[in-house]
Amino acid sequence: MNPSLEYALRSIADFLTWQHRFRDVEGFLHDLEGYTLLQLAATGGGTGAVVEIGSYLGRSTAFLAAGSKGAGRERVVAVDHFRGSPEHQAGQPFASATLAQEGTTFRHFQSNLRRLDLDDHVAPVVAASADAAAAWRGPIRLLFIDGDHSYEESKRDFELWSRFVVPRGLICFHDIRAWPGVTQFYDELLRDTKLYREVVAVVSLRVIEKLPTAPEATAMPL
Ligand code: MG
Protein backbone atom coordinates (compact mmCIF):
# COMPACT_ATOMS: atom_id res chain seq x y z
CA MET A 1 0.00 0.00 0.00
CA ASN A 2 1.33 3.48 -0.78
CA PRO A 3 2.25 5.60 2.27
CA SER A 4 -0.38 8.32 1.77
CA LEU A 5 -3.20 5.80 1.52
CA GLU A 6 -1.87 3.93 4.53
CA TYR A 7 -1.75 7.21 6.49
CA ALA A 8 -5.29 8.15 5.45
CA LEU A 9 -6.69 4.74 6.44
CA ARG A 10 -4.83 4.78 9.75
CA SER A 11 -6.29 8.24 10.50
CA ILE A 12 -9.82 6.97 9.86
CA ALA A 13 -9.25 3.98 12.13
CA ASP A 14 -7.82 6.24 14.84
CA PHE A 15 -10.83 8.57 14.64
CA LEU A 16 -13.23 5.62 14.94
CA THR A 17 -11.36 4.33 17.99
CA TRP A 18 -11.70 7.63 19.85
CA GLN A 19 -15.27 8.16 18.71
CA HIS A 20 -16.14 4.79 20.20
CA ARG A 21 -14.17 5.36 23.41
CA PHE A 22 -15.96 8.64 24.19
CA ARG A 23 -19.40 7.68 22.88
CA ASP A 24 -20.99 7.74 26.34
CA VAL A 25 -19.69 11.15 27.40
CA GLU A 26 -22.62 13.53 27.11
CA GLY A 27 -22.23 16.95 25.54
CA PHE A 28 -22.69 19.08 22.50
CA LEU A 29 -19.33 18.46 20.85
CA HIS A 30 -19.43 16.66 17.50
CA ASP A 31 -17.10 13.63 17.29
CA LEU A 32 -15.06 15.33 14.53
CA GLU A 33 -14.73 18.48 16.60
CA GLY A 34 -13.53 16.36 19.50
CA TYR A 35 -11.04 14.50 17.37
CA THR A 36 -9.71 17.83 16.07
CA LEU A 37 -9.19 19.03 19.66
CA LEU A 38 -7.40 15.78 20.43
CA GLN A 39 -5.00 16.31 17.52
CA LEU A 40 -4.38 19.96 18.45
CA ALA A 41 -3.65 18.99 22.05
CA ALA A 42 -1.26 16.28 20.85
CA THR A 43 0.67 18.21 18.21
CA GLY A 44 -0.26 21.94 18.37
CA GLY A 45 2.52 24.54 18.44
CA GLY A 46 4.05 26.31 21.41
CA THR A 47 4.69 25.37 25.01
CA GLY A 48 2.32 26.17 27.85
CA ALA A 49 -0.91 25.10 29.44
CA VAL A 50 -3.95 23.69 27.67
CA VAL A 51 -6.92 25.67 29.03
CA GLU A 52 -10.60 25.00 28.49
CA ILE A 53 -13.29 27.55 29.37
CA GLY A 54 -16.58 25.68 29.88
CA SER A 55 -16.28 21.97 30.64
CA TYR A 56 -19.85 20.94 31.55
CA LEU A 57 -19.74 17.12 31.74
CA GLY A 58 -16.21 16.75 30.38
CA ARG A 59 -16.72 15.72 26.77
CA SER A 60 -14.30 18.24 25.21
CA THR A 61 -12.07 17.92 28.28
CA ALA A 62 -11.71 14.21 27.56
CA PHE A 63 -10.66 14.73 23.93
CA LEU A 64 -8.15 17.44 24.92
CA ALA A 65 -6.73 15.37 27.77
CA ALA A 66 -6.45 12.23 25.64
CA GLY A 67 -4.42 14.11 23.02
CA SER A 68 -2.13 15.84 25.46
CA LYS A 69 -1.65 12.79 27.69
CA GLY A 70 -0.92 10.51 24.73
CA ALA A 71 1.77 12.91 23.55
CA GLY A 72 3.26 13.31 27.06
CA ARG A 73 2.39 17.03 27.10
CA GLU A 74 0.68 19.49 29.46
CA ARG A 75 -2.34 18.70 31.62
CA VAL A 76 -5.68 20.27 30.74
CA VAL A 77 -6.86 23.07 33.00
CA ALA A 78 -10.67 22.84 32.98
CA VAL A 79 -12.26 26.13 34.04
CA ASP A 80 -15.96 25.98 34.90
CA HIS A 81 -18.20 26.99 37.78
CA PHE A 82 -20.05 23.75 36.95
CA ARG A 83 -23.44 25.41 37.41
CA GLY A 84 -24.23 25.17 33.70
CA SER A 85 -24.59 27.75 30.93
CA PRO A 86 -27.84 29.73 30.61
CA GLU A 87 -29.23 27.16 28.13
CA HIS A 88 -28.69 24.29 30.62
CA GLN A 89 -30.95 25.78 33.29
CA ALA A 90 -34.41 24.38 34.10
CA GLY A 91 -37.00 25.32 31.47
CA GLN A 92 -34.34 26.21 28.87
CA PRO A 93 -33.88 24.41 25.52
CA PHE A 94 -30.92 22.29 26.69
CA ALA A 95 -31.94 21.83 30.32
CA SER A 96 -29.53 19.48 32.09
CA ALA A 97 -30.86 16.55 34.11
CA THR A 98 -27.62 16.40 36.11
CA LEU A 99 -27.87 20.07 36.98
CA ALA A 100 -31.52 19.72 37.99
CA GLN A 101 -30.71 16.76 40.27
CA GLU A 102 -27.40 17.86 41.78
CA GLY A 103 -27.16 21.63 41.31
CA THR A 104 -23.68 21.13 39.82
CA THR A 105 -22.20 19.12 36.97
CA PHE A 106 -18.85 18.69 38.75
CA ARG A 107 -19.44 15.23 40.20
CA HIS A 108 -20.64 13.90 36.84
CA PHE A 109 -17.67 15.58 35.10
CA GLN A 110 -15.24 13.91 37.51
CA SER A 111 -16.80 10.48 37.15
CA ASN A 112 -16.67 10.71 33.33
CA LEU A 113 -12.94 11.52 33.41
CA ARG A 114 -12.19 8.82 36.02
CA ARG A 115 -13.99 6.20 33.95
CA LEU A 116 -11.87 7.14 30.92
CA ASP A 117 -8.65 7.13 33.00
CA LEU A 118 -8.04 10.79 32.15
CA ASP A 119 -8.62 12.40 35.56
CA ASP A 120 -4.86 12.33 36.23
CA HIS A 121 -4.31 14.62 33.24
CA VAL A 122 -6.96 17.23 34.09
CA ALA A 123 -6.73 20.02 36.65
CA PRO A 124 -10.24 21.39 37.27
CA VAL A 125 -10.62 25.00 38.37
CA VAL A 126 -14.04 25.38 39.93
CA ALA A 127 -14.57 29.09 39.36
CA ALA A 128 -16.15 31.59 37.00
CA SER A 129 -13.97 32.32 33.98
CA ALA A 130 -13.28 35.94 35.00
CA ASP A 131 -12.20 34.93 38.51
CA ALA A 132 -9.96 32.17 37.17
CA ALA A 133 -8.41 34.58 34.64
CA ALA A 134 -7.68 37.12 37.36
CA ALA A 135 -5.68 34.49 39.26
CA TRP A 136 -3.99 32.97 36.19
CA ARG A 137 -0.24 33.17 35.63
CA GLY A 138 1.81 31.68 32.85
CA PRO A 139 1.76 30.88 29.15
CA ILE A 140 -1.03 29.03 27.33
CA ARG A 141 -0.44 27.13 24.10
CA LEU A 142 -4.00 25.94 23.48
CA LEU A 143 -7.14 27.77 24.61
CA PHE A 144 -10.63 26.38 24.02
CA ILE A 145 -13.47 28.88 24.52
CA ASP A 146 -16.84 27.20 25.06
CA GLY A 147 -18.44 28.92 28.05
CA ASP A 148 -21.37 31.32 27.91
CA HIS A 149 -22.12 31.72 24.17
CA SER A 150 -23.43 35.30 24.33
CA TYR A 151 -21.57 38.04 22.44
CA GLU A 152 -20.52 39.86 25.62
CA GLU A 153 -19.32 36.77 27.49
CA SER A 154 -17.43 35.19 24.60
CA LYS A 155 -15.75 38.55 23.94
CA ARG A 156 -14.86 38.81 27.61
CA ASP A 157 -13.46 35.26 27.74
CA PHE A 158 -11.34 36.00 24.69
CA GLU A 159 -10.04 39.29 26.06
CA LEU A 160 -9.28 37.87 29.50
CA TRP A 161 -7.49 34.74 28.32
CA SER A 162 -5.99 35.41 24.89
CA ARG A 163 -3.26 37.63 26.37
CA PHE A 164 -1.68 34.50 27.87
CA VAL A 165 -1.54 32.61 24.57
CA VAL A 166 1.99 32.25 23.18
CA PRO A 167 2.94 33.06 19.58
CA ARG A 168 2.05 30.08 17.39
CA GLY A 169 -0.39 29.05 20.12
CA LEU A 170 -3.98 28.20 19.20
CA ILE A 171 -7.39 29.48 20.25
CA CYS A 172 -10.47 27.38 19.51
CA PHE A 173 -14.07 28.58 19.53
CA HIS A 174 -17.07 26.29 19.65
CA ASP A 175 -20.58 26.83 18.27
CA ILE A 176 -19.70 29.21 15.42
CA ARG A 177 -22.80 29.51 13.19
CA ALA A 178 -24.71 27.56 15.86
CA TRP A 179 -25.01 30.38 18.44
CA PRO A 180 -25.43 33.99 17.22
CA GLY A 181 -23.51 35.76 20.02
CA VAL A 182 -20.21 33.94 19.75
CA THR A 183 -20.53 33.88 15.95
CA GLN A 184 -20.86 37.69 15.85
CA PHE A 185 -17.82 38.07 18.07
CA TYR A 186 -15.77 35.61 16.03
CA ASP A 187 -16.59 37.33 12.73
CA GLU A 188 -15.65 40.72 14.18
CA LEU A 189 -12.41 39.35 15.56
CA LEU A 190 -11.31 37.87 12.25
CA ARG A 191 -12.33 41.03 10.39
CA ASP A 192 -10.40 43.38 12.68
CA THR A 193 -7.33 41.46 13.78
CA LYS A 194 -3.90 41.16 12.29
CA LEU A 195 -2.70 39.12 15.25
CA TYR A 196 -4.52 35.90 14.34
CA ARG A 197 -5.30 33.79 11.32
CA GLU A 198 -7.86 31.02 10.97
CA VAL A 199 -6.22 27.62 10.54
CA VAL A 200 -9.14 25.20 10.41
CA ALA A 201 -12.93 24.98 10.58
CA VAL A 202 -14.55 21.67 11.58
CA VAL A 203 -18.34 21.63 11.93
CA SER A 204 -18.87 24.51 14.44
CA LEU A 205 -15.28 24.49 15.72
CA ARG A 206 -13.00 27.32 14.56
CA VAL A 207 -9.28 27.39 15.28
CA ILE A 208 -7.10 30.48 15.03
CA GLU A 209 -3.35 30.78 15.46
CA LYS A 210 -1.62 33.67 17.18
CA LEU A 211 0.95 35.06 14.78
CA PRO A 212 4.42 35.98 15.96
CA THR A 213 4.77 39.75 16.46
CA ALA A 214 7.27 42.21 17.89
CA PRO A 215 8.91 40.93 21.10
CA GLU A 216 7.40 43.64 23.32
CA ALA A 217 3.90 42.73 22.19
CA THR A 218 4.36 39.04 22.97
CA ALA A 219 5.98 39.44 26.41
CA MET A 220 4.12 37.30 28.92
CA PRO A 221 2.41 39.10 31.79
CA LEU A 222 4.03 38.25 35.14
MG1 MG B 1 -20.31 24.45 22.93
Side-chain angles (χ1 to χ4, degrees):
M1 197 185 302
N2 78 59
S4 359
L5 179 57
E6 190 177 336
Y7 178 79
L9 295 179
R10 198 176 297 150
S11 300
I12 293 168
D14 189 53
F15 165 71
L16 292 171
T17 301
W18 289 109
Q19 179 185 48
H20 183 73
R21 193 167 297 170
F22 295 161
R23 69 193 182 284
D24 294 333
V25 187
E26 311 88 330
F28 303 96
L29 192 79
H30 190 286
D31 295 328
L32 279 170
E33 297 172 334
Y35 189 62
T36 304
L37 291 179
L38 182 151
Q39 294 293 347
L40 297 174
T43 60
T47 302
V50 175
V51 176
E52 167 179 80
I53 311 301
S55 301
Y56 190 45
L57 298 175
R59 182 166 167 77
S60 51
T61 325
F63 279 103
L64 287 167
S68 202
K69 183 177 180 177
R73 299 183 72 184
E74 303 87 343
R75 287 197 304 173
V76 176
V77 177
V79 177
D80 200 317
H81 47 49
F82 294 97
R83 297 191 304 270
S85 282
E87 70 272 17
H88 302 140
Q89 308 304 318
Q92 296 305 307
F94 300 99
S96 162
T98 299
L99 205 57
Q101 284 158 18
E102 303 180 21
T104 173
T105 61
F106 187 55
R107 191 202 57 80
H108 197 156
F109 163 88
Q110 284 183 302
S111 75
N112 277 337
L113 292 174
R114 249 195 315 271
R115 179 165 51 81
L116 298 164
D117 193 28
L118 290 169
D119 54 314
D120 61 341
H121 215 71
V122 175
V125 174
V126 185
S129 169
D131 295 333
W136 183 262
R137 301 290 180 272
I140 295 174
R141 72 161 169 100
L142 177 57
L143 174 65
F144 178 48
I145 297 178
D146 191 24
D148 185 315
H149 298 92
S150 68
Y151 175 84
E152 292 74 18
E153 293 302 314
S154 37
K155 183 172 195 281
R156 191 161 76 130
D157 283 340
F158 177 82
E159 287 171 352
L160 288 173
W161 290 96
S162 62
R163 69 182 89 166
F164 298 106
V165 174
V166 298
R168 298 289 181 212
L170 301 169
I171 304 179
C172 311
F173 289 86
H174 194 229
D175 295 304
I176 303 303
R177 311 279 164 244
W179 284 87
V182 66
T183 301
Q184 185 192 340
F185 172 67
Y186 184 76
D187 289 345
E188 283 180 14
L189 176 67
L190 277 202
R191 189 191 63 210
D192 298 339
T193 189
K194 289 186 173 57
L195 254 184
Y196 297 90
R197 70 176 183 106
E198 186 177 86
V199 289
V200 73
V202 178
V203 194
S204 78
L205 184 74
R206 296 293 180 277
V207 184
I208 60 176
E209 179 189 44
K210 189 182 247 190
L211 299 169
T213 53
E216 63 271 18
T218 57
M220 294 308 304
L222 297 173

